[in-house]
Amino acid sequence: MSQDQQIITDKQGYRLNIVRTQKYKTNTIVWKMKAPLSIDTVTLRALLPQVLQSSTAKYPSTTSLRTYLEDLYGAALYVNVGKKGEYHIITVTLEIANEKFLSDSEPLLAKGIELLTDVLFKPNLENGIFVQKSVNQEKRTLKQRIQSLNDDKMRYSSIRLVEEMCKDEPYGLEVNGVLSEVDGITSQSLYDYYVHALETDELDLYVVGDINEAEVESLCDQFINLTQRKPQQQPFVRPSDDIEVNEVVEKQDVAQGKLNMGYRTGIIYGDPKYFALQVFNGIFGGFSHSKLFLEVREKNSLAYYAASRIESHKGLLMVVSGIQSENYQKTLSIINEQMEAMKKGDFSDEIIDQTKAVIENQLLETIDNANGLVEVLYHNVVAPKKVTIDEWLEQVKKVTRNEIIEVGKQVQLDTIYFLTGMEVAK
């Protein structure tokens, strides 16, 4: 699917992104709120969408709201918080059946847009602020969510690597907020932040499906009334050329060690070298044919899993692996060897072609899903330079061996994080 089919209209206070496609039998409506990551707001932003989706002024209980969703042919409403580079992103999604494929002529798209805007702009209030009972319930749930991160050691170790690597940077903040901050949030302080966010966040609405553009725009004009704002920008800070590697060993009562490594690349989405970095990562550890998978896991049987990924808007490449703790030094040595092999161009032309094909298939699979398509399109909101999907596919095909090697020269090890058992020394 070409990104050229995306119609972007600047509305007062937000951007309307309409993607007309006959690929899906449902319509997907996605609201994105973007603001700089900040210790002052990260916990408020994690809590806010949960409170908004719990009820509205029209449907003042979770039960009544969910019942109405069922009445809309089983529509699905859900929220999420994430980070892209130094930005904290709130996402509110409504998936609803397309009335074109139903015998009933009920105007589901109109009802869906109205419901989503009710969730966003007509919340359930008590004395002019959020309902205390709802806020308390969602605070308990948020605390459980933050605490549960400690139980999933794979995710915990990934979070800890980022915390150590970016301890003085906004990206080091966890998107679900800070546990010790949750109790201090009140209905008043959360409502005040909600008003502030609607006035200052960079806002995008995506409507994807077999839809009429004029109808969508008319509905949005009817239900959305916002003030103009100037989006807050976070400049990308390129890493220094002289990085001192930080090695962190943490001991817990775990059966399996977690060795995670963070590298600085200085390359972000939209950079001309970004496509070569994608291929570099794919060969190094991104896929099942990669060096990390074959050398660390298959050949030497050192890891239960070993892979790498890039953070497209922060310029990071991160390695994750699960190992027996006594194999720490040997695994670390082999990972370092594979990185050096990448920098020297020790990979075949066949692997380059295979990696390009997998990247292409992965992207096409992603945009085959409406939510995946929105996430791909949203890169262009976060990034300073826009890239169409067609351009993305074309540029990956053009990546040369020399460009991959040149990218490798920019990849610098920053932090080694190792989670090990209590009785095993480093």
Side-chain angles (χ1 to χ4, degrees):
M1 176 182 181
S2 171
Q3 192 180 354
D4 294 338
Q5 293 173 264
Q6 180 190 16
I7 300 171
I8 305 173
T9 306
D10 285 321
K11 293 291 189 177
Q12 181 166 297
Y14 75 104
R15 263 183 308 269
L16 175 59
N17 303 262
I18 300 175
V19 183
R20 185 174 185 181
T21 172
Q22 297 180 342
K23 190 179 293 185
Y24 318 116
K25 294 291 189 283
T26 58
N27 292 326
T28 301
I29 311 164
V30 182
W31 180 258
K32 294 273 194 182
M33 303 178 64
K34 168 176 163 280
L37 272 162
S38 168
I39 187 61
D40 297 328
T41 61
V42 65
T43 312
L44 288 161
R45 287 184 76 83
L47 180 61
L48 177 59
Q50 303 296 334
V51 172
L52 291 176
Q53 74 150 354
S54 66
S55 59
T56 69
K58 190 174 182 180
Y59 302 99
S61 70
T62 300
T63 300
S64 61
L65 178 55
R66 296 295 154 179
T67 299
Y68 181 60
L69 286 166
E70 282 301 315
D71 291 343
L72 297 178
Y73 291 86
L77 172 70
Y78 48 94
V79 299
N80 181 51
V81 288
K83 59 183 174 181
K84 291 184 182 296
E86 309 284 20
Y87 296 102
H88 202 182
I89 315 295
I90 293 174
T91 303
V92 183
T93 303
L94 181 72
E95 294 176 353
I96 193 164
N98 190 325
E99 60 256 39
K100 289 185 177 182
F101 303 103
L102 301 174
S103 56
D104 192 341
S105 59
E106 187 174 358
L108 290 180
L109 179 61
K111 290 188 175 184
I113 291 176
E114 181 179 15
L115 177 59
L116 185 70
T117 54
D118 276 358
V119 168
L120 294 167
F121 310 127
K122 297 179 181 178
N124 188 20
L125 303 180
E126 185 177 65
N127 299 321
I129 59 176
F130 288 127
V131 177
Q132 188 68 52
K133 182 180 178 182
S134 176
V135 172
N136 288 342
Q137 172 59 45
E138 296 306 331
K139 282 167 66 173
R140 286 192 292 271
T141 303
L142 178 59
K143 289 169 73 173
Q144 292 169 358
R145 187 179 304 115
I146 295 172
Q147 290 167 330
S148 71
L149 298 176
N150 293 329
D151 300 328
D152 182 348
K153 296 307 178 185
M154 184 186 295
R155 189 172 179 192
Y156 172 82
S157 57
S158 295
I159 291 170
R160 288 287 295 115
L161 170 68
V162 172
E163 285 179 342
E164 291 291 339
M165 187 175 180
C166 305
K167 62 177 63 176
D168 298 320
E169 303 162 54
Y171 189 75
L173 295 169
E174 216 293 304
V175 294
N176 288 292
V178 181
L179 183 61
S180 61
E181 298 287 325
V182 178
D183 283 338
I185 297 175
T186 66
S187 296
Q188 183 71 63
S189 66
L190 186 63
Y191 182 77
D192 288 345
Y193 181 71
Y194 158 74
V195 173
H196 173 78
L198 281 186
E199 290 176 347
T200 61
D201 275 21
E202 185 169 1
L203 306 174
D204 280 85
L205 178 64
Y206 291 82
V207 185
V208 182
D210 188 1
I211 50 182
N212 178 280
E213 295 96 328
E215 179 191 6
V216 170
E217 188 166 358
S218 175
L219 287 167
C220 291
D221 290 343
Q222 178 182 345
F223 294 119
I224 302 175
N225 180 25
L226 294 165
T227 57
Q228 289 288 33
R229 78 279 321 281
K230 185 176 181 180
Q232 305 167 72
Q233 299 298 326
Q234 293 279 72
F236 175 62
V237 179
R238 297 195 177 277
S240 66
D241 294 329
D242 185 23
I243 295 177
E244 185 175 338
V245 178
N246 179 31
E247 188 173 10
V248 179
V249 177
E250 182 176 341
K251 292 186 177 183
Q252 289 188 12
D253 184 14
V254 294
Q256 183 189 113
K258 308 292 183 188
L259 170 58
N260 290 15
M261 301 169 68
Y263 301 79
R264 305 272 182 176
T265 71
I267 300 168
I268 59 173
Y269 184 93
D271 190 302
K273 296 181 180 180
Y274 176 76
F275 309 101
L277 178 63
Q278 278 198 303
V279 180
F280 179 98
N281 177 66
I283 298 172
F284 176 57
F287 304 118
S288 58
H289 64 266
S290 69
K291 287 181 174 291
L292 293 187
F293 187 88
L294 296 177
E295 293 293 328
V296 180
R297 186 179 185 276
E298 298 295 295
K299 185 177 177 181
N300 290 282
S301 300
L302 289 172
Y304 302 99
Y305 61 89
S308 68
R309 67 177 182 86
I310 55 176
E311 207 299 331
S312 296
H313 299 281
K314 180 60 180 171
L316 306 181
L317 185 153
M318 288 172 280
V319 171
V320 297
S321 65
I323 64 174
Q324 289 296 321
S325 292
E326 59 268 24
N327 293 329
Y328 170 65
Q329 290 293 351
K330 188 174 182 181
T331 306
L332 181 61
S333 176
I334 292 178
I335 292 173
N336 286 333
E337 287 172 6
Q338 300 315 304
M339 178 56 76
E340 286 306 307
M342 287 297 305
K343 294 185 176 189
K344 293 176 182 176
D346 182 12
F347 43 83
S348 68
D349 290 340
E350 288 76 17
I351 287 296
I352 295 175
D353 292 339
Q354 183 180 1
T355 301
K356 289 179 180 181
V358 175
I359 291 171
E360 179 178 349
N361 289 336
Q362 188 180 67
L363 179 57
L364 291 174
E365 283 182 13
T366 299
I367 65 174
D368 207 34
N369 171 278
N371 286 295
L373 174 60
V374 169
E375 289 305 313
V376 170
L377 297 177
Y378 194 67
H379 280 301
N380 288 323
V381 174
V382 182
K385 184 178 183 299
K386 316 304 180 191
V387 181
T388 68
I389 292 172
D390 289 342
E391 182 183 355
W392 192 336
L393 293 168
E394 187 62 31
Q395 291 301 321
V396 167
K397 289 178 182 177
K398 291 181 178 179
V399 170
T400 67
R401 168 182 290 276
N402 285 339
E403 288 172 338
I404 299 169
I405 296 171
E406 284 300 309
V407 159
K409 294 177 182 178
Q410 290 188 220
V411 178
Q412 304 176 77
L413 180 60
D414 182 293
T415 300
I416 301 167
Y417 172 82
F418 182 44
L419 177 64
T420 183
M422 300 296 292
E423 72 289 341
V424 180
K426 188 177 88 172

